[in-house]
């Protein structure tokens, strides 16, 4: 089995699988209030197709980590069964999932029992009014209950993903960290990226990694934890540890040089980068009877053409047409 390597020598071991583009929140940096036109149902990969592609990826392409994303993956009918089938693959991939937490209180136990290893929950505020303003839904309590259930189910470390925006929630960085420290959660701040469907991203509104570290250092001692490697987050021990906090500086300190990620969209397109402006159609090949070798070859070809990085600082930067909600984290 030859590794999945791009033209820059980067070895890809992390497959992100979007199971749906649908979501039950309307976060302002990700979706308009009315939502988006969802993918046609017939274009969405079936459970069998998802399990087949992941099976080929772990057996023939050296993928070791699989992250299930959306939209909101908890909305995917049959999710627990998909997790169980992925956990039964040989070799077994490490299984993670990124969710907004709505419905997690009900599903955490079943997902853990099915074989899910880790979970990331998005949480941008501890204040109900801000949650409603940001997500256009009054569901903060559900998210907090989901976090508790994930911990109780042993999906540890339970990670919390937070996007800070100037004038919206940047004043909550310390409160979010203290909440996570108190509840044994691992917080990661993510710089806001230009992936919104409205193409309204404004670098000045983005709170930078440097600002985040400075804010947290006002109340805590942060000690950097070694090299980042392919891990997107720069990690810091908080007050000598063992608790850590992560900062993902996607825009100001890109980690593309060590990128090990490839994505599969819910409608069966391979994206070799979060910011790819081209995709490789796997769904048509799957439904046209392609054998496993052909499927693997198509994924390899998609990776071979990967660019060096996201190019956000490039004056010719083009934001992808496909919105974040249809790409997945
Ligand atoms: S922006 Fe693209 S190349 Fe850079 S880390 Fe993300 S997926 Fe990898």
């Amino acid at each position: 089995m030859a590794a999945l390597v791009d033209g820059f020598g980067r070895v890809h071991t992390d497959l992100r699988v979007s199971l749906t583009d649908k979501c039950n929140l309307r976060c302002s940096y990700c979706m308009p209030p009315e939502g988006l036109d969802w993918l046609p149902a017939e274009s969405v990969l079936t459970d069998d197709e998802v399990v087949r592609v992941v099976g080929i990826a772990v057996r023939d392409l050296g993928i070791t980590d699989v992250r299930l994303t959306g939209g909101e993956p908890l909305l995917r009918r049959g999710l627990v069964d998909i997790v169980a089938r992925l956990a039964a693959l040989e070799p077994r991939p490490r299984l993670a999932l990124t969710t907004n937490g709505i419905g997690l209180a009900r599903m955490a136990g079943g997902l853990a029992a099915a074989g899910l290893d880790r979970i990331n929950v998005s949480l941008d505020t501890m204040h109900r009014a801000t949650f409603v303003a940001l997500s256009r839904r009054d569901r903060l309590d559900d998210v907090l209950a989901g976090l508790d259930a994930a911990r109780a189910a042993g999906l540890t470390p339970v990670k919390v993903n937070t996007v800070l925006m100037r004038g919206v929630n940047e004043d909550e960085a310390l409160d979010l960290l203290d909440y996570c420290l108190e509840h044994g959660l691992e917080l990661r701040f993510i710089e806001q990226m230009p992936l919104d469907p409205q193409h309204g991203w404004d670098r000045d509104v983005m709170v930078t990694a440097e600002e985040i570290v400075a804010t947290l250092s006002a109340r805590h001692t942060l000690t950097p934890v070694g090299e980042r490697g392919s891990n997107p987050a720069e990690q810091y021990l908080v007050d000598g540890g063992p608790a850590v906090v992560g900062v993902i500086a996607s825009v100001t300190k890109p980690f593309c040089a060590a990128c090990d990620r490839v994505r599969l969209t819910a409608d069966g397109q391979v994206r070799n980068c979060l910011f790819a402006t081209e995709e490789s159609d796997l769904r048509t090949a799957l439904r046209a009877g392609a054998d496993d070798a052909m499927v693997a070859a198509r994924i390899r070809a998609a990776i071979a053409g990967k660019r060096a990085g996201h190019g956000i600082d490039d004056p010719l930067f083009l934001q992808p047409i496909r919105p974040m909600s249809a790409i997945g984290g």
Side-chain angles (χ1 to χ4, degrees):
M1 184 277 308
L4 188 56
V5 185
D6 67 22
F8 299 91
R10 295 171 294 192
V11 179
H12 293 68
T13 57
D14 187 339
L15 174 63
R16 315 241 156 157
V17 180
S18 170
L19 293 176
T20 178
D21 62 330
K22 293 180 180 164
C23 190
N24 41 15
L25 292 181
R26 296 286 179 273
C27 302
S28 54
Y29 54 82
C30 184
M31 223 181 265
E34 67 278 9
L36 295 167
D37 295 334
W38 306 130
L39 293 167
E42 65 278 7
S43 75
V44 173
L45 294 187
T46 64
D47 298 6
D48 290 348
E49 288 169 334
V50 169
V51 174
R52 180 176 173 216
V53 173
V54 177
I56 293 166
V58 297
R59 190 192 64 216
D60 303 336
L61 298 172
I63 292 292
T64 55
D65 290 82
V66 174
R67 177 172 293 277
L68 303 175
T69 67
E72 174 45 50
L74 299 190
L75 292 177
R76 171 82 185 217
R77 206 170 294 147
L79 173 65
V80 173
D81 184 53
I82 291 174
V83 170
R85 293 175 67 187
L86 297 180
L89 290 172
E90 283 297 335
R92 184 200 192 282
R94 280 183 291 272
L95 295 172
L97 181 140
T98 302
T99 171
N100 64 23
I102 310 292
L104 186 57
R106 183 170 41 80
M107 296 182 73
L111 289 168
L116 189 67
D117 300 304
R118 290 180 299 121
I119 201 159
N120 291 49
V121 179
S122 305
L123 179 65
D124 298 325
T125 176
M126 298 304 302
H127 302 308
R128 191 172 175 183
T130 309
F131 190 96
V132 173
L134 256 175
S135 71
R136 302 170 180 124
R137 299 286 186 274
D138 189 3
R139 306 296 297 269
L140 176 59
D141 295 343
D142 297 79
V143 179
L144 300 179
L147 285 166
D148 291 343
R151 285 196 65 231
L155 293 168
T156 47
V158 176
K159 297 186 177 181
V160 172
N161 291 351
T162 297
V163 177
L164 294 179
M165 288 153 285
R166 223 174 291 290
V168 178
N169 61 340
E170 100 255 33
D171 59 345
E172 289 200 53
L174 282 163
D175 292 346
L176 282 156
L177 178 58
D178 290 346
Y179 179 83
C180 289
L181 293 172
E182 219 176 285
H183 291 78
L185 304 165
E186 196 175 306
L187 180 58
R188 302 128 48 88
F189 292 98
I190 307 173
E191 287 181 341
Q192 191 194 5
M193 294 177 278
L195 285 165
D196 58 306
Q198 303 95 322
H199 290 210
W201 179 77
D202 179 351
R203 188 183 282 268
D204 296 335
V205 173
M206 178 189 78
V207 179
T208 68
E210 199 179 330
E211 291 173 288
I212 295 167
V213 171
T215 301
L216 301 180
S217 302
R219 194 182 294 170
H220 297 284
T221 304
L222 300 189
T223 314
V225 179
E227 289 303 308
R228 180 169 56 178
S230 68
N231 181 345
E234 285 183 309
Q235 296 212 311
Y236 300 85
L237 286 177
V238 181
D239 302 327
V244 295
V245 63
V247 180
I248 301 179
S250 321
V251 177
T252 58
K253 284 188 253 173
F255 35 86
C256 303
C259 180
D260 60 357
R261 284 170 288 284
V262 54
R263 290 177 167 81
L264 178 68
T265 66
D267 57 345
Q269 309 303 304
V270 179
R271 297 180 58 83
N272 59 24
C273 169
L274 185 57
F275 289 90
T277 49
E278 289 169 6
E279 300 177 339
S280 180
D281 179 10
L282 211 53
R283 186 184 74 243
T284 305
L286 287 170
R287 295 181 180 177
D291 64 20
D292 291 2
M294 290 158 85
V295 171
R298 186 155 286 212
I299 298 171
R300 279 190 197 285
I303 289 296
K306 183 167 180 166
R307 295 180 303 194
H310 53 47
I312 292 172
D313 293 329
D314 184 330
L316 299 176
F317 171 71
L318 269 181
Q319 185 174 329
I321 293 165
R322 186 187 286 261
M324 180 69 172
S325 59
I327 298 174

